Amino acid sequence: MTQVLNARRGKITDQMWSVSRQEGIPAETIREGIAQGLIVIPFNKAHPGLKPCGIGLGMSTKVNANLGTSSVFPEWTHEVEKMEAALSAGADAVMDLSTGGEIPSCRQHLLENCPVPIGTVPIYEAAVRTRSQGQLVVEMEPDELFRVIEEQAAAGVDFITVHCGVTRSIVEKLRHQPRLMGIVSRGGAMMAGWILHRQQENPLYAQYDRLLEICKLYDVTLSLGDGMRPGCLADATDRVQLEELMILGDLVRLAREAGVQVMVEGPGHVPFDQIEANVKLQKRLCHGAPFYVLGPLVTDIAAGYDHIASAIGGTLAAIAGADFLCYVTPSEHLGLPTAADVRDGVIASRIAAHAADIVKGLPGALARDLAMAEARRDLDWDKQMTLALDPARARQIRQERNPMLQDVCSMCGEFCAIDLVSRCFSKAGSGE
Amino acid sequence: MTQVLNARRGKITDQMWSVSRQEGIPAETIREGIAQGLIVIPFNKAHPGLKPCGIGLGMSTKVNANLGTSSVFPEWTHEVEKMEAALSAGADAVMDLSTGGEIPSCRQHLLENCPVPIGTVPIYEAAVRTRSQGQLVVEMEPDELFRVIEEQAAAGVDFITVHCGVTRSIVEKLRHQPRLMGIVSRGGAMMAGWILHRQQENPLYAQYDRLLEICKLYDVTLSLGDGMRPGCLADATDRVQLEELMILGDLVRLAREAGVQVMVEGPGHVPFDQIEANVKLQKRLCHGAPFYVLGPLVTDIAAGYDHIASAIGGTLAAIAGADFLCYVTPSEHLGLPTAADVRDGVIASRIAAHAADIVKGLPGALARDLAMAEARRDLDWDKQMTLALDPARARQIRQERNPMLQDVCSMCGEFCAIDLVSRCFSKAGSGE
């Protein structure tokens, strides 16, 4: 029995109660949001030690960290370290995008140690298996793909990205109406290549009901991937992107009818002034489904600092209604991230999520900023460090840059504005 | 003869021609913008080797890096290193905010080696001199302050921040309508303390004509400081901030009448949804004067990452009309920045400025993103590195994360979407 089917029957599950407590929102509101498909709780009962996490309307904005092996870095132990970095930086979810080494082992180790929902992109493992059998990725057997999906669901994966909207007709359109960067989604590219090679319809679209059956059985949340997401500003909000989005909207309805939790993924590289339109279109065309965006990056030239380009776009996207931000790390476009990159990526996205939650007026969002402002006014450094988004980093900088212990800091020293004003105003106030 | 007086007489100066070439905008448009006070070119003829820089309507968004000694770190050589870091990261201007050690020496070394405009906050040096004479900052003699201003102008400083809008009446209002953090501007706090201590009007306001005479003589651009800028989200856009802004608007008119170039400074800590209003109010109340914002920071809790909180706010501010972004470094609120912090701060602000220039539709802004997208599509790594905002950093990450030289990168390896799509589409296109 999935969360959504329970919700529709009026039942508030343990997971809904837990999300209600975390968010400071009545459980009945959570239940109703889930029943309507406006909120999801990715929660696979086979994932040990999982803490429920609500994503969607009225929830605080959540942050996902991607990690996973690649053929150049196949060692899963590094990915467990990255997961720990992501969790300690405050990630709300983790995706295992492994394409190298022992993929099931990596996933298993992550699942056993991860209290937040774990997502995957099953076509990656199917592609690796296909290659290991000496075939090209585009020769993948649909049954192999569904086998991987079922195995991952049985193993405890909480949400899966599936590129169901990359249809034959869209791939044809893309051939005749090219865009600057074509397809940059890995899963989308695999699916498009398969379609062109086999001259058949996308099996995740053609056999969508088969996919829904698996998801319903394990209560795996569908994350409908945007295979046509723009890979550069010039391709943003173009025809193929919107055509795919419309198909995803149809697939949202079908998933809801089947009692499957579903969210929708979105771009990507988007100029700042097109971000709000992208979110509004997704919310309208996909019937209010939770929106999971990658970035968006507001420029293409920030290689080495794409976590910043992404935090800029992510703030506006979340304010406009996006519910779930996929982080981008400083090594995006350059190579596989390190654990330090993972940390930087999560923190940047958390800044975006928090800045947006303040504007969304979510319960408790501004309270931490108010407490920080009071600690600053009082020059209470311990409290400032505790309230910082990343206390360890804040403490480290304070220690390094302040060789002499002092009430003020080494930027202003004795010319500290706060110190000066508090002395002058209290003197003036006391009539001295 | 100042730039603005030349412009009003129809003369296009060498500096205007230079800005015209850099910006790709007709020199006559620059001249007209300067004549109307909508553009400034901070350009003190005593600053050796200075390259003109246009700030204001229709210009690309500029980035300033603050540096300078403090009592804990009085060594000026470090500040020269930070200036070099700022310049190599692409800063368009530098402010020397020194309050420790040999302040005139530090400034002189910066001026001699800095091809971009240099700004100062003269009250800092006046405060240090006052303290060195055994007096409290609030006992500062107005003549001492004006002496410092004239000396700095004669030395070649291109623009000065002066907190003329911190008037006696505003300080009184603040006493009776307190805000959470009071005054966080150092110069504003000194001025407010002086007013409370001496029970006299702010000399920079009372003797504004004296200030204008000095600025006119050396063509120093006035940057009207916002002493009442909010130090936390809770204080943003409040009554004292707006009262000061209205006074600054009056002072803009007076500066223009005197033939002095003038810009206006703005906040600070501002929730994302109040940023546009802040910019529009400044533009309206200050008659279109170039707007120079610090951040704005969209949350108070990002200590250690305030360059990111600032890039988020800076992007929206620039899109809404801000012309000049003052960077914030990762060590803001914690201590004096290092050269590495300076670099990170400049790059973060440049991402914001560039993302905004794309939306502003400025000549050439999107072209670099288009070129980057083409280089990515073609997997042309050399070109990607050259086009990156910080080529050195992008190269470093690429080298570290790609132990085996390859066409693709270590994130996707053989599953590179771009590689896969280009092979599939070209095969399909050739009818294979």
Side-chain angles (χ1 to χ4, degrees):
Chain A
M1 178 76 76
T2 63
Q3 298 290 335
V4 60
L5 290 176
N6 272 308
R8 284 197 206 136
R9 289 174 201 187
K11 179 170 163 56
I12 298 175
T13 63
D14 290 350
Q15 291 75 38
M16 296 176 205
W17 282 114
S18 168
V19 167
S20 156
R21 283 189 299 272
Q22 284 166 54
E23 304 281 344
I25 285 174
E28 178 53 26
T29 309
I30 308 286
R31 188 202 60 75
E32 203 178 311
I34 291 175
Q36 296 175 351
L38 309 179
I39 300 173
V40 294
I41 301 181
F43 192 90
N44 185 328
K45 292 202 170 90
H47 179 171
L50 174 62
K51 206 181 112 203
C53 168
I55 299 168
L57 189 69
M59 308 290 95
S60 61
T61 306
K62 301 302 186 299
V63 169
N64 174 73
N66 286 341
L67 42 86
T69 59
S70 70
S71 50
V72 180
F73 295 108
E75 187 55 63
W76 61 260
T77 54
H78 296 155
E79 304 313 308
V80 174
E81 282 164 25
K82 286 181 203 170
M83 182 192 73
E84 282 159 6
L87 294 174
S88 81
D92 300 294
V94 159
M95 286 192 82
D96 174 16
L97 308 184
S98 291
T99 57
E102 295 296 319
I103 295 176
S105 292
C106 184
R107 185 172 55 243
Q108 204 50 42
H109 281 95
L110 294 174
L111 275 166
E112 283 166 9
N113 295 287
C114 189
V116 303
I118 286 197
T120 58
V121 186
I123 200 172
Y124 293 175
E125 186 176 358
V128 172
R129 287 197 199 176
T130 302
R131 293 287 294 127
S132 74
Q133 290 152 11
Q135 291 182 291
L136 296 173
V137 169
V138 294
E139 292 167 338
M140 177 187 301
E141 281 307 320
D143 283 349
E144 180 81 279
L145 178 54
F146 282 101
R147 201 152 41 231
V148 168
I149 292 171
E150 180 132 27
E151 283 175 24
Q152 295 194 351
V157 166
D158 304 293
F159 62 103
I160 55 170
T161 295
V162 273
H163 299 86
C164 307
V166 179
T167 60
R168 215 171 156 181
S169 104
I170 282 182
V171 173
E172 274 310 304
K173 285 218 177 70
L174 187 61
R175 280 184 65 195
H176 298 107
Q177 295 195 1
R179 29 155 65 174
L180 202 157
M181 285 201 67
I183 300 176
V184 298
S185 151
R186 257 193 294 184
M190 290 173 185
M191 217 59 259
W194 189 92
I195 290 168
L196 287 170
H197 180 75
R198 300 268 292 230
Q199 291 294 308
Q200 286 179 311
E201 186 52 280
N202 177 345
L204 294 170
Y205 180 76
Q207 302 180 54
Y208 188 59
D209 49 352
R210 188 175 169 188
L211 179 64
L212 292 178
E213 270 171 41
I214 301 172
C215 290
K216 189 177 170 187
L217 184 62
Y218 298 94
D219 200 3
V220 167
T221 299
L222 270 186
S223 187
L224 296 173
D226 55 333
M228 296 298 149
R229 75 162 183 266
C232 60
L233 299 187
D235 292 344
T237 333
D238 72 350
R239 179 167 178 172
V240 288
Q241 184 197 320
L242 295 187
E243 291 232 16
E244 183 188 34
L245 187 63
M246 288 187 263
I247 293 172
L248 297 184
D250 297 338
L251 297 177
V252 163
R253 272 195 204 270
L254 293 174
R256 286 181 182 169
E257 281 168 20
V260 167
Q261 299 196 89
V262 59
M263 53 187 174
V264 173
E265 298 186 9
H269 291 242
V270 185
F272 193 89
D273 59 338
Q274 292 177 25
I275 289 175
E276 189 176 355
N278 269 271
V279 178
K280 300 291 182 207
L281 279 170
Q282 183 277 349
K283 286 284 174 184
R284 178 71 184 89
L285 294 172
C286 298
H287 321 292
F291 197 25
Y292 178 24
V293 296
L294 175 61
L297 302 172
V298 294
T299 171
D300 300 334
I301 65 166
Y305 302 87
D306 275 326
H307 60 310
I308 298 179
S310 169
I312 295 170
T315 305
L316 178 54
I319 289 171
D323 308 285
F324 191 21
L325 304 179
C326 185
Y327 84 169
V328 168
T329 80
S331 67
E332 184 75 19
H333 298 112
L334 297 168
L336 204 68
T338 62
D341 290 335
V342 166
R343 181 171 197 87
D344 283 346
V346 171
I347 296 286
S349 286
R350 284 189 65 209
I351 292 171
H354 180 71
D357 286 349
I358 290 168
V359 175
K360 285 176 173 175
L362 289 184
L366 188 62
R368 190 159 164 186
D369 295 66
L370 291 173
M372 175 64 102
E374 285 170 2
R376 282 205 175 118
R377 177 197 59 199
D378 301 339
L379 294 170
D380 181 338
W381 291 96
D382 278 343
K383 206 168 172 191
Q384 287 181 57
M385 299 301 121
T386 309
L387 288 164
L389 213 52
D390 181 354
R393 178 82 185 122
R395 273 198 194 92
Q396 182 197 355
I397 296 178
R398 166 120 178 109
Q399 278 163 11
E400 283 172 9
R401 316 292 156 79
N402 291 280
M404 311 161 199
L405 281 179
Q406 49 189 351
D407 281 344
V408 292
C409 86
S410 61
M411 182 177 262
C412 304
E414 66 168 319
F415 301 108
C416 173
I418 293 168
D419 188 43
L420 196 82
V421 167
S422 76
R423 277 186 283 121
C424 293
F425 273 66
S426 61
K427 253 176 94 171
S430 69
E432 251 188 89
Chain B
M1 175 75 76
T2 64
Q3 298 289 336
V4 60
L5 290 176
N6 272 307
R8 283 197 204 136
R9 288 171 202 191
K11 180 171 163 54
I12 297 176
T13 63
D14 291 348
Q15 291 74 38
M16 296 176 207
W17 282 113
S18 169
V19 167
S20 155
R21 283 189 299 273
Q22 284 165 55
E23 304 280 344
I25 285 174
E28 178 53 25
T29 308
I30 308 286
R31 186 202 61 73
E32 204 178 309
I34 292 174
Q36 295 175 350
L38 310 179
I39 299 173
V40 296
I41 300 181
F43 191 90
N44 186 328
K45 292 202 171 85
H47 178 170
L50 175 63
K51 205 181 113 204
C53 169
I55 298 168
L57 189 69
M59 308 289 97
S60 60
T61 306
K62 302 302 188 296
V63 168
N64 174 74
N66 286 341
L67 41 86
T69 58
S70 70
S71 50
V72 182
F73 295 108
E75 186 55 64
W76 61 260
T77 56
H78 295 156
E79 304 311 308
V80 173
E81 283 163 26
K82 288 181 203 171
M83 182 191 72
E84 282 160 6
L87 294 173
S88 82
D92 301 295
V94 160
M95 287 192 81
D96 174 16
L97 307 185
S98 291
T99 56
E102 294 296 320
I103 294 175
S105 292
C106 184
R107 184 170 57 242
Q108 203 51 41
H109 281 95
L110 294 175
L111 276 165
E112 282 167 10
N113 296 287
C114 189
V116 303
I118 285 195
T120 57
V121 185
I123 200 172
Y124 294 174
E125 186 176 357
V128 172
R129 286 198 200 174
T130 302
R131 293 287 294 128
S132 73
Q133 289 152 13
Q135 291 182 292
L136 296 173
V137 170
V138 295
E139 292 168 337
M140 178 187 299
E141 281 306 319
D143 282 349
E144 179 81 277
L145 177 55
F146 283 102
R147 199 149 46 230
V148 169
I149 292 171
E150 180 132 27
E151 284 176 24
Q152 294 194 352
V157 166
D158 303 293
F159 61 103
I160 54 170
T161 294
V162 273
H163 300 86
C164 307
V166 179
T167 60
R168 214 172 157 181
S169 103
I170 283 183
V171 172
E172 274 309 305
K173 283 217 177 69
L174 187 61
R175 280 184 63 196
H176 297 106
Q177 298 193 358
R179 26 152 68 172
L180 201 157
M181 285 201 67
I183 301 177
V184 297
S185 151
R186 257 192 293 185
M190 290 174 185
M191 216 60 258
W194 188 94
I195 290 168
L196 287 170
H197 179 79
R198 300 268 291 229
Q199 291 292 312
Q200 286 179 312
E201 185 53 279
N202 177 345
L204 295 170
Y205 180 78
Q207 302 181 54
Y208 188 60
D209 50 351
R210 187 174 171 189
L211 179 64
L212 291 177
E213 270 173 40
I214 301 171
C215 290
K216 188 176 171 188
L217 184 63
Y218 296 94
D219 199 3
V220 168
T221 299
L222 269 188
S223 188
L224 296 172
D226 55 333
M228 297 297 149
R229 75 164 181 267
C232 60
L233 299 187
D235 291 344
T237 333
D238 72 350
R239 179 166 179 172
V240 289
Q241 184 197 321
L242 296 186
E243 292 231 17
E244 182 187 34
L245 187 64
M246 289 186 264
I247 293 172
L248 298 184
D250 297 339
L251 298 177
V252 163
R253 274 193 202 270
L254 293 174
R256 284 180 183 169
E257 281 167 19
V260 168
Q261 300 195 93
V262 61
M263 53 188 172
V264 173
E265 298 185 10
H269 291 243
V270 186
F272 193 89
D273 60 336
Q274 292 178 25
I275 290 175
E276 189 175 355
N278 268 271
V279 178
K280 300 292 181 205
L281 279 170
Q282 182 277 348
K283 286 285 173 182
R284 178 70 185 90
L285 294 172
C286 298
H287 322 292
F291 196 26
Y292 178 23
V293 294
L294 174 60
L297 302 173
V298 293
T299 172
D300 301 334
I301 64 166
Y305 303 87
D306 274 328
H307 60 310
I308 297 178
S310 168
I312 294 170
T315 305
L316 178 55
I319 289 171
D323 308 285
F324 192 19
L325 304 180
C326 185
Y327 85 167
V328 168
T329 79
S331 67
E332 183 76 20
H333 297 111
L334 297 168
L336 204 68
T338 63
D341 290 336
V342 166
R343 178 169 199 89
D344 283 346
V346 171
I347 296 286
S349 287
R350 284 188 65 210
I351 292 171
H354 180 71
D357 286 349
I358 290 168
V359 174
K360 285 176 172 174
L362 291 184
L366 188 61
R368 191 160 165 188
D369 295 67
L370 291 173
M372 176 62 101
E374 285 170 1
R376 282 203 177 121
R377 177 196 59 201
D378 301 338
L379 294 170
D380 182 338
W381 291 96
D382 278 345
K383 207 169 170 189
Q384 286 181 58
M385 300 300 119
T386 310
L387 288 164
L389 212 53
D390 181 355
R393 178 82 184 121
R395 273 199 194 90
Q396 184 198 350
I397 295 178
R398 167 123 176 107
Q399 279 162 11
E400 284 171 6
R401 315 292 155 82
N402 292 279
M404 312 161 197
L405 281 179
Q406 48 188 354
D407 281 344
V408 291
C409 86
S410 61
M411 181 176 264
C412 303
E414 66 168 318
F415 302 107
C416 172
I418 293 167
D419 189 40
L420 194 84
V421 168
S422 77
R423 279 186 281 121
C424 293
F425 273 68
S426 62
K427 255 176 94 174
S430 68
E432 247 189 275

